Amino acid sequence: MSAAFSTQPLVLGIESSCDETGVGIVRGTTLLTNTVSSSMDEHVRFGGVIPEIASRAHLDAFVPTLQESLHEAGVTLDDIDAIAVTSGPGLAGALMVGVCAAKALAVATGKPLYAINHLVAHVGVGLLDAKNDGGAAAGLGAGELPENLGALLVSGGHTEILRIRSITDDVELLGSTIDDAAGEAYDKVARILGLGYPGGPAIDKLARQGNPKSIRFPRGLTQPKYMGTAEERGPHRYDWSFSGLKTAVARCVEQFEARGEDVPVADIAAAFQEAVVDVITSKAVLACREHGITDLLLGGGVAANSRLRELTGQRCASAGITLHVPPLNLCTDNGAMVAALGAQLIMAGIGPSGVSFAPDSSMPVTTVSVPA
């Protein structure tokens, strides 16, 4: 292995875990290109992602997305040092498309192939030397990870708090949702309120016109029997639950309609959003404080939510925690984050996965990459 390969590897990353076909190229910690093709518009009429449609969209989009990415980066497949692909977690059929494409490229070019974890990649993208979107919080930046790092990942499929001792081989799951992810709850509540899909942006926009204190919706898993104490921690101290909140919104709407009253959609949206971000941020900060985490990275598609970013920033500042948020286009699913983690594995001297692995739709976050 050449010195250039091990210190500044040129890595092509492939992402296909849900409805975005992503191809990104990085050199070490420098982002060269991040090309994404989304099939979201094809799912709108169904109110959510349809796995079969997503898989077919990946098949149609992969080659054009790959070609565009190589063109934007000004490189060829011969120039690439290694290929990285999301092996899990995600939709089984969608993962299969990306993994098969990556294996085909690896066999055809003779390049080493790394099968990596989608969730850990959301953290690895924070190491890229990419321009931030101008917000108050910044990404981790190129270089080494902070010593006491945590990650709060909030998306349509995942809501998790992690402790990162090593981005390449030591990731611990501290808490997660036990049912709906936050983004999934947004989509379901948006459907109840007649706002369409995707629900996150619609609710976030409408909530600014409503009163978040008009209705007190439940905060799941915050009762003493779930939380416990700092000395004797409860079974769900750092976990979330959003299914009950979704039901509470549905019952609230039904009550207004049963009385023949206009449904205060903006107020309900604001109160729902406040319930979500309140419990997410309070539990995340609690986990950070009790595990000595001093730096927190906020990632995932729901990181675009204005209230989540605002309240996370406020509570992290009050607790003395430094918050980092990558640029928004790197928070959502993309190939650059896959390439970024692949580069970290190479620079750490970790060997490739080979081509015999299978995609794993329930891949645990503790598995950063698939060994050969």
Side-chain angles (χ1 to χ4, degrees), residues 126-192:
L127 283 169
L128 289 178
D129 186 15
K131 293 182 179 180
N132 193 266
D133 60 356
L140 299 168
E144 296 183 0
L145 292 172
E147 185 175 353
N148 300 305
L149 176 66
L152 174 59
L153 305 181
V154 189
S155 71
H158 303 277
T159 305
E160 300 181 330
I161 179 75
L162 314 175
R163 177 161 61 179
I164 316 294
R165 293 189 181 91
S166 167
I167 191 68
T168 58
D169 60 12
D170 193 349
V171 177
E172 179 184 0
L173 176 65
L174 299 180
S176 65
T177 178
I178 65 171
D179 41 56
D180 291 349
E184 186 179 5
Y186 267 87
D187 289 338
K188 291 179 177 178
V189 168
R191 190 180 309 139
I192 292 170

